[in-house]
Amino acid sequence: MQILDILALFICLAGIFIYINTYYLKLPSSVGLMILALGLSVAMLVLNLLIPEFKLGTERILKDYDYHEVLYQLVLSFMLFAGALQIDFKKLAEERTPVLILALAGVLISTAIVGVGVHYLLDWIGLELDIMYCLVFGALISPTDPIAVTSTIRKYSLSKNLETRIAGESLFNDGIAVVLALTLLDLAHSTEDHYIGMVDILWVFGTDIVGGIVIGLFLGYLGYRILKYIDNDEVEVEVLMTLALVMAGTQLAEFTHVSAKQAVVIMGLVIGNEGKSGHVSSAAGDYVFKFWYLIEETLNAMLFVLIGLEMLIIPLRFDYFAAGLFAFIIVLIARYISVGIPISAMSTFRKMEANSINVLAWGGLRGGIPIALSLSLPEFEGKEIIITMTYTVVVCSVLYQGLTVPYLMRTTFPTRT
């Protein structure tokens, strides 16, 4: 089975999932896709028991191909760029202080709490995982998914400021968490040979983010200037230019050893908002935004298909899944603390809406980004534990939080008419 056959299978299953959820389940996208992914997992496990040859064939397909480059270089970059295109930059600029504080401080606090908590949890269960890899798990599980609750939130009378904070914080914590997870992973490998100090950690983390922002601003402005002179009727040229910019920007950032994910986020913000501004009538037509929205939904659905197939390659060990269930509780606690501390601090000099902590914490579902990150990690001892915990936390988050968010919103905010 060739790689194109596997991609065709993923896209086909993703299309079926979206169709079933849209016309039959009629649930929020992430919740419906997760239920279907779990159904696929059960079906695969049953087929494995009934047809041993099927088990051997599917395991070989999933293990023989290295999805690291596809997931990290393509899927994550495309999803972050597509998400950034939809953000109102002017509104985001007004809320830049709380958004950046929530994203940066929130990820760092969450990573520390989850990493340390999971380290002691695994030790209590009797599993071994180095503290640095526990921190890697804490970083990769920190990104939240605004797509998962956007359709629900829009039904209620949240202030525009709070909506912007939710979307903006989620967008930036994605990029920051990716950088932090990969930085910690590099440091985990480096510490096996020599000691790494806090200054080294801050230098690597800082240069990654700043370098990514610089490249994102440069390519974003370049893309905006190019799109400005393309007629809106030439939709195929516009789409191809944005695709080229994302892929070229990712490769340039990787070549210069800075954050490709932060670069594509900044590119998306610049192109999306300059392209939609009233004084630039010819930049980035509506078709570009519709195309990238479709890309985002398709890739998100493909990741849920991958979640369903993931049951075939992770070890079905009770202690691993037990660790994942306890990790979900730790992640929830960490989310409340990582949101509560910055909001409480900012409330002393800035007006913060009532119930902001509850909405940001409980509405912070985990989605496709943590799954893609965990599967794209290189091989190391303990990777299977991280993948299993990530799988369990994402499933619990999407189903438990996703199904109860509407109740929280109904009891907190009135329904929009």
Side-chain angles (χ1 to χ4, degrees):
M1 198 172 190
Q2 302 300 314
I3 190 66
L4 288 178
D5 297 324
I6 297 174
L7 287 175
L9 175 64
F10 280 10
I11 294 174
C12 179
L13 289 173
I16 293 172
F17 277 20
I18 292 175
Y19 179 84
I20 293 174
N21 184 57
T22 302
Y23 290 99
Y24 295 99
L25 298 181
K26 298 181 179 179
L27 292 169
S29 177
S30 293
V31 176
L33 292 174
M34 179 58 76
I35 291 174
L36 292 170
L38 292 176
L40 178 63
S41 296
V42 172
M44 289 295 179
L45 291 175
V46 171
L47 285 172
N48 286 347
L49 293 174
L50 296 177
I51 310 173
E53 294 80 6
F54 178 83
K55 176 180 175 61
L56 293 174
T58 50
E59 284 184 347
R60 181 181 59 79
I61 290 171
L62 291 172
K63 290 182 177 180
D64 283 355
Y65 291 97
D66 183 9
Y67 297 103
H68 176 270
E69 292 299 320
V70 175
L71 288 172
Y72 179 68
Q73 300 284 16
L74 186 67
V75 174
L76 287 176
S77 293
F78 278 20
M79 289 185 73
L80 290 174
F81 179 81
L85 278 178
Q86 311 302 322
I87 301 294
D88 186 339
F89 190 73
K90 291 182 179 178
K91 197 66 184 177
L92 182 63
E94 296 173 8
E95 296 294 322
R96 61 184 180 277
T97 300
V99 164
L100 292 176
I101 290 175
L102 280 168
L104 182 57
V107 167
L108 293 175
I109 294 170
S110 176
T111 298
I113 294 174
V114 173
V116 174
V118 166
H119 179 67
Y120 285 106
L121 165 68
L122 294 178
D123 185 60
W124 176 63
I125 292 176
L127 297 172
E128 291 186 8
L129 187 63
D130 186 87
I131 182 64
M132 289 300 296
Y133 291 119
C134 291
L135 290 171
V136 170
F137 171 74
L140 70 84
I141 204 64
S142 293
T144 55
D145 182 9
I147 304 173
V149 290
T150 297
S151 59
T152 301
I153 286 175
R154 285 175 179 168
K155 298 177 184 178
Y156 300 91
S157 298
L158 276 74
S159 69
K160 288 296 181 183
N161 290 341
L162 184 53
E163 285 188 9
T164 302
R165 286 172 197 163
I166 293 173
E169 185 258 346
S170 181
L171 177 67
F172 279 98
N173 74 18
D174 282 351
I176 292 170
V178 170
V179 176
L180 183 58
L182 296 176
T183 301
L184 290 170
L185 186 63
D186 289 341
L187 294 173
H189 293 157
S190 299
T191 51
E192 296 174 0
D193 302 321
H194 58 276
Y195 172 75
I196 300 293
M198 182 58 67
V199 174
D200 299 311
I201 295 174
L202 293 175
W203 172 256
V204 172
F205 184 63
T207 52
D208 268 6
I209 291 182
V210 173
I213 291 174
V214 170
I215 289 178
L217 287 171
F218 171 72
L219 291 180
Y221 182 74
L222 176 64
Y224 152 68
R225 298 298 300 181
I226 293 173
L227 290 172
K228 180 180 178 181
Y229 292 102
I230 298 176
D231 195 298
N232 280 163
D233 293 333
E234 303 292 338
V235 293
E236 68 281 2
V237 181
E238 290 185 328
V239 169
L240 285 173
M241 284 307 306
T242 54
L243 280 169
L245 284 167
V246 173
M247 300 183 78
T250 300
Q251 293 303 315
L252 178 60
E254 288 298 314
F255 178 75
T256 53
H257 303 290
V258 299
S259 172
K261 308 314 162 220
Q262 210 64 48
V264 296
V265 166
I266 299 300
M267 285 166 56
L269 287 172
V270 173
I271 292 175
N273 286 271
E274 289 298 332
K276 286 186 288 189
S277 60
H279 65 281
V280 187
S281 60
S282 61
D286 288 341
Y287 192 87
V288 171
F289 298 97
K290 292 177 182 178
F291 169 81
W292 280 102
Y293 175 78
L294 174 63
I295 289 291
E296 184 177 25
E297 289 292 316
T298 302
L299 292 176
N300 197 48
M302 288 176 64
L303 286 175
F304 279 100
V305 170
L306 199 55
I307 290 174
L309 296 175
E310 198 179 343
M311 287 294 289
L312 299 174
I313 58 175
I314 60 177
L316 300 179
R317 291 181 48 170
F318 176 77
D319 52 352
Y320 282 16
F321 283 99
L325 289 173
F326 284 114
F328 171 63
I329 298 173
I330 295 173
V331 168
L332 269 182
I333 294 172
R335 176 65 179 171
Y336 267 96
I337 295 173
S338 65
V339 167
I341 291 176
I343 287 182
S344 298
M346 286 186 289
S347 63
T348 60
F349 63 87
R350 189 184 186 98
K351 183 180 182 300
M352 307 298 287
E353 289 81 354
N355 297 304
S356 293
I357 295 176
N358 286 337
V359 173
L360 280 162
W362 200 255
L365 278 66
R366 271 59 184 179
I369 299 291
I371 291 292
L373 265 176
S374 66
L375 292 175
S376 67
L377 295 175
E379 291 299 325
F380 59 87
E381 187 175 352
K383 179 182 176 180
E384 289 182 336
I385 300 176
I386 289 180
I387 290 177
T388 306
M389 288 195 299
T390 304
Y391 176 92
T392 308
V393 170
V394 170
V395 169
C396 292
S397 176
V398 171
L399 294 183
Y400 183 52
Q401 291 176 254
L403 290 172
T404 54
V405 161
Y407 174 76
L408 170 67
M409 301 302 295
R410 280 197 303 271
T411 57
T412 306
F413 301 98
T415 306
R416 282 177 177 162
T417 56

